Amino acid sequence: MRILHTSDWHLGRTLEGRSRLDEQVAFIDELSGIVEDNAVDLILIAGDVFDTVNPPAAAEELFYEALNRLSAGGRRGIVAIAGNHDNPERLCAAGPLAVRQGITLYGLPKEVLLPSSSIFTQLNPGEGSTVRRAAAGQGWMELAIPNCPPTIVAMLPYPSESRLNEVLSASLDEKILREEYSKRVQQLFTTFAQHYRPDAVNLGISHLFVRGGVESESERPIQLGSAPTVEVNALPVGAQYVALGHLHRAQSVKGAPIPTRYSGSPLAYSFSETGYAKSVVLIEAYPGQEVTTQEIFLRSGYPLVKWRAKEGLAQVQHWIDEGKDLNAWIDLEVFVSNSLQAQDIHNLRRQRERLINIRPVFPETEKIAAEARSKLPIDELFRKFYQDRMGGAEPEQELVAMFLSLIDPDNNETTLLSDQQIGVDKEVESA
């Protein structure tokens, strides 16, 4: 069978107040074409369907239209779980209607699902041609998909303490909290994975931050109750593929014992994602065999680019005249000796409607900043360089130590941030 993995649509999100709805509509069009062209049997949407718990009506309308198109009248299965930006109850409000089209909307981590009822089957004599739940329970279900082997999915929507309705530890120690959280996620997945079978395609789907993932600035923290990182050993044992959402950069999970990926967001949602390739993942799976995966790159959505005009406004005007980055959202830094006039800013925006930020840079300020950077400890300079190159990601402690050992192998007394502080910093930045 063929499975498509996507996540983090963030329908309704804006960019500095500018609507992205037309780009999101284009993404749904492109996604619909991909699933048709590749004869996809099942779609996994790993959370953050919406950007807020109270999405605009246009965003909800687009989501329901997408489900309708992608399900192909119930012949193609869809599983969508709640992320930290989603309201679980609101996401699943249409669940009783959706299940009739082979769609499962799953909101809370310990919610109990029911199989398709016998009454529903009797009312649909052609049920063999549509997707249905053959069996289900807390955190898992078995899907019967036309012309496919049995498909068992272990599901864990965004598992914060508040959504789990549990206090995982009375301790305020960050290390203990991380350990207890990771253990609880592992316990849940272990329970759900008990339903895996050798004659079925066994899948996992969740919305969480697995330790080692690379973040970007567009992952804003919206949560109630702590939800720190989890270790790779918390992932469901026996799964052939685990589909994750939460991080906006497409990536495989390092050290995972089974194929585990973040599909990333379909659009770039902040300028920290400049240069990121956006994609979805196509998985081909057979019972009892290793899956094969293919990253399918997306064309929809305007790219986000940064302009740094060291030659001033004349250089910016030249770029506009030559049509540079014509279909892009632009973040502009322009070097000037005097403050920008309102008329200059108005003129630039009139010529390029997707010019988002215009920041003047004064040479004196750059010089002061450079001098300040030169006084930083070498490990802090390395961290800032790494963050700039990796879209804001924090380097691992081991990487910093390796860098320091290479530039000064005889010095073992360089002061570094503690493991505990690094962990705290990551959790603050995560979403």
Side-chain angles (χ1 to χ4, degrees), residues 10-66:
H10 287 274
L11 300 180
R13 186 159 184 171
T14 61
L15 180 64
E16 301 294 338
R18 310 290 186 91
S19 174
R20 309 292 299 277
L21 190 62
D22 61 333
E23 296 171 84
Q24 292 170 339
V25 169
F27 159 66
I28 297 301
D29 287 339
E30 184 175 9
L31 185 64
S32 299
I34 289 172
V35 298
E36 290 292 339
D37 292 344
N38 291 279
V40 169
D41 302 298
L42 174 65
I43 298 170
L44 303 178
I45 307 173
D48 279 356
V49 170
F50 299 111
D51 191 52
T52 66
V53 295
N54 187 26
E60 288 193 302
E61 182 180 358
L62 179 57
F63 176 55
Y64 291 129
E65 173 63 21

Side-chain angles (χ1 to χ4, degrees), residues 109-139:
K110 296 190 289 185
E111 181 181 351
V112 177
L113 285 178
L114 299 175
S116 300
S117 68
S118 57
I119 295 176
F120 171 65
T121 301
Q122 291 170 8
L123 291 174
N124 291 270
E127 51 87 22
S129 63
T130 59
V131 177
R132 60 186 181 87
R133 288 186 210 143
Q138 185 185 77

Side-chain angles (χ1 to χ4, degrees), residues 213-219 247-251 263-279 295 297-306 386-394:
V214 179
E215 303 168 87
S216 64
E217 291 176 6
S218 63
E219 295 131 11
L247 300 184
H248 290 184
R249 184 172 186 169
Q251 57 194 285
S263 65
S265 60
L267 303 179
Y269 284 120
S270 84
F271 284 97
S272 69
E273 296 177 64
T274 298
Y276 285 14
K278 296 300 182 177
S279 60
E295 196 172 7
F297 294 98
L298 300 170
R299 300 185 301 274
S300 52
Y302 303 127
L304 273 62
V305 301
K306 294 182 178 181
Y386 186 92
Q387 290 170 340
D388 180 65
R389 294 289 179 170
M390 300 301 290
E394 181 77 23

Side-chain angles (χ1 to χ4, degrees), residues 198-274:
D199 66 326
V201 169
N202 300 310
L203 306 170
I205 180 172
S206 190
H207 190 92
L208 42 73
F209 185 12
V210 177
R211 190 173 180 84
V214 179
E215 303 168 87
S216 64
E217 291 176 6
S218 63
E219 295 131 11
R220 307 189 313 277
I222 294 183
Q223 61 191 49
L224 201 61
S226 65
T229 59
V230 302
E231 303 297 332
V232 292
N233 62 7
L235 299 170
V237 175
Q240 294 168 261
Y241 180 86
V242 178
L244 296 179
H246 195 43
L247 300 184
H248 290 184
R249 184 172 186 169
Q251 57 194 285
S252 296
V253 173
K254 300 175 183 177
I258 50 180
T260 304
R261 286 189 63 89
Y262 287 97
S263 65
S265 60
L267 303 179
Y269 284 120
S270 84
F271 284 97
S272 69
E273 296 177 64
T274 298

Side-chain angles (χ1 to χ4, degrees), residues 336-354:
V336 292
S337 54
N338 298 307
S339 299
L340 285 174
Q341 300 299 311
Q343 183 60 38
D344 294 328
I345 296 173
H346 175 74
N347 182 50
L348 292 176
R349 293 196 186 281
R350 180 180 56 80
Q351 296 181 79
R352 279 293 178 90
E353 63 178 353
R354 284 189 288 275

Side-chain angles (χ1 to χ4, degrees), residues 49-214:
V49 170
F50 299 111
D51 191 52
T52 66
V53 295
N54 187 26
E60 288 193 302
E61 182 180 358
L62 179 57
F63 176 55
Y64 291 129
E65 173 63 21
L67 292 182
N68 182 54
R69 292 177 62 181
L70 295 171
S71 69
R75 296 186 300 276
R76 181 181 298 115
I78 299 177
V79 178
I81 64 170
N84 57 306
H85 284 252
D86 298 312
N87 180 324
E89 290 82 5
R90 187 162 186 166
L91 179 70
C92 300
L97 291 175
V99 72
R100 294 174 177 267
Q101 299 296 318
I103 302 165
T104 294
L105 304 176
Y106 193 61
L108 291 169
K110 296 190 289 185
E111 181 181 351
V112 177
L113 285 178
L114 299 175
S116 300
S117 68
S118 57
I119 295 176
F120 171 65
T121 301
Q122 291 170 8
L123 291 174
N124 291 270
E127 51 87 22
S129 63
T130 59
V131 177
R132 60 186 181 87
R133 288 186 210 143
Q138 185 185 77
W140 73 280
M141 65 180 173
E142 178 185 338
L143 292 176
I145 303 174
N147 305 312
C148 292
T151 306
I152 299 174
V153 188
M155 301 168 290
L156 186 62
Y158 181 65
S160 64
E161 282 185 318
S162 61
R163 296 191 185 183
L164 288 168
N165 197 25
E166 298 177 16
V167 176
L168 300 178
S169 174
S171 173
L172 295 179
D173 184 270
E174 294 292 341
K175 183 179 180 181
I176 294 175
L177 284 171
R178 286 198 303 272
E179 290 175 351
E180 292 302 315
Y181 180 75
S182 191
K183 287 178 183 177
R184 185 64 180 121
V185 169
Q186 184 178 27
Q187 289 169 357
L188 289 167
F189 264 138
T190 299
T191 300
F192 304 158
Q194 290 176 355
H195 300 277
Y196 288 155
R197 299 201 314 266
D199 66 326
V201 169
N202 300 310
L203 306 170
I205 180 172
S206 190
H207 190 92
L208 42 73
F209 185 12
V210 177
R211 190 173 180 84
V214 179

